[in-house]
Amino acid sequence: NEKYCQYVKERKSLFFDGSSYSQEKCLLAVRKAQEIDASETIISSSIHKIKQLQLTGDSNGNYLANIYIEGSQNGSYNLSIALYDTSGKLINQLHQEVITLGQVNQNLVRSINPKNELIKDFGQQYYDSIKGQSFIVRVELELLIDDYHMKKYNVPSLSDDSLKSMVEQTINLD
C-alpha cells in the first residue's frame, strides 16, 4: 500500500547511505507488486472455453474428437470426455487429463473408443444390449485453481460456470 511509504525513514551512517530503505524504493516496490498482481488476475472472459466439438468415427468404434478451444488465460485445465445416455445419466468416463493452455487459441485432437471402453468396463453382453442406441459424448474443460490462488485472485467472485465450459454431441453405438 503506497500510503505506508510515507513512514519509511532513510537512515544514513558511516558504512551505508540508507538508500535501500527510502520512500522512493518503497513506492517502486509497491508499484511492482501491483503490476505483478494485475498481470496474474483471472478475468472470466479470458478463461479458455470450448468453442466447438467435432467427432468423426469409423466402423471399429474409434472416434477422433476435434476440440476447438479459444481463450487467453494461462493455466492448468482439466479436460474430460464422458459418455452419457440421452437422459443425462453418466455411463462411462472415456478420457481425462490435465493440460496447460497459454495465451493462444488451440485445437486439441483426442482419440476415444466408447465401444472398447464399455466392453472393458461392463462386458460384451452389456455392450450388445445397448448397441444401436444413441448416446451423448460430453467434453468439459475447467480451469484448475488451488485455494491459495482462489483467495489471491478473488476467484470466489467468479461462478463455477465461468471456470468451465462444456459441449455435447450425439453418437450412435454400432
Side-chain angles (χ1 to χ4, degrees):
N1 191 331
E2 288 183 1
K3 67 182 178 183
Y4 295 117
C5 291
Q6 68 183 344
Y7 301 110
V8 173
K9 302 268 190 232
E10 184 175 340
R11 301 197 190 272
K12 298 181 181 184
S13 77
L14 189 59
F15 299 108
F16 61 94
D17 68 2
S19 63
S20 293
Y21 301 98
S22 66
Q23 290 181 1
E24 292 80 23
K25 291 279 186 170
C26 178
L27 288 170
L28 284 173
V30 169
R31 289 183 186 133
K32 185 176 181 181
Q34 288 171 342
E35 286 174 15
I36 290 171
D37 284 349
S39 69
E40 294 177 350
T41 299
I42 294 173
I43 302 168
S44 63
S45 63
S46 69
I47 294 173
H48 285 277
K49 304 284 186 203
I50 301 171
K51 182 178 179 183
Q52 181 183 1
L53 169 65
Q54 183 180 27
L55 292 172
T56 53
D58 65 17
S59 59
N60 296 324
N62 297 307
Y63 285 87
L64 279 181
N66 291 297
I67 307 161
Y68 301 95
I69 298 174
E70 62 183 11
S72 60
Q73 180 65 52
N74 292 329
S76 296
Y77 291 78
N78 184 52
L79 174 69
S80 65
I81 304 173
L83 188 69
Y84 289 79
D85 67 15
T86 54
S87 71
K89 178 183 172 192
L90 175 65
I91 302 298
N92 204 2
Q93 186 73 35
L94 302 174
H95 180 85
Q96 186 164 354
E97 69 178 304
V98 174
I99 58 175
T100 301
L101 296 174
Q103 295 189 355
V104 294
N105 295 340
Q106 292 186 323
N107 298 333
L108 305 174
V109 178
R110 298 297 183 263
S111 177
I112 57 171
N113 190 316
K115 176 182 175 182
N116 286 350
E117 292 293 324
L118 290 170
I119 292 171
K120 179 180 81 173
D121 293 343
F122 302 108
Q124 183 69 46
Q125 187 176 3
Y126 173 78
Y127 180 77
D128 291 341
S129 72
I130 62 169
K131 188 175 172 181
Q133 295 180 27
S134 293
F135 289 87
I136 298 167
V137 173
R138 180 182 294 169
V139 179
E140 294 183 11
L141 183 70
E142 181 178 6
L143 177 62
L144 300 176
I145 303 174
D146 58 29
D147 290 341
Y148 169 77
H149 289 94
M150 291 279 274
K151 292 175 185 163
K152 180 176 180 181
Y153 304 136
N154 195 25
V155 177
S157 66
L158 297 173
S159 68
D160 284 343
D161 291 338
S162 65
L163 296 176
K164 63 183 169 183
S165 65
M166 174 189 69
V167 293
E168 297 178 337
Q169 187 172 330
T170 303
I171 62 168
N172 288 319
L173 293 179
D174 297 323

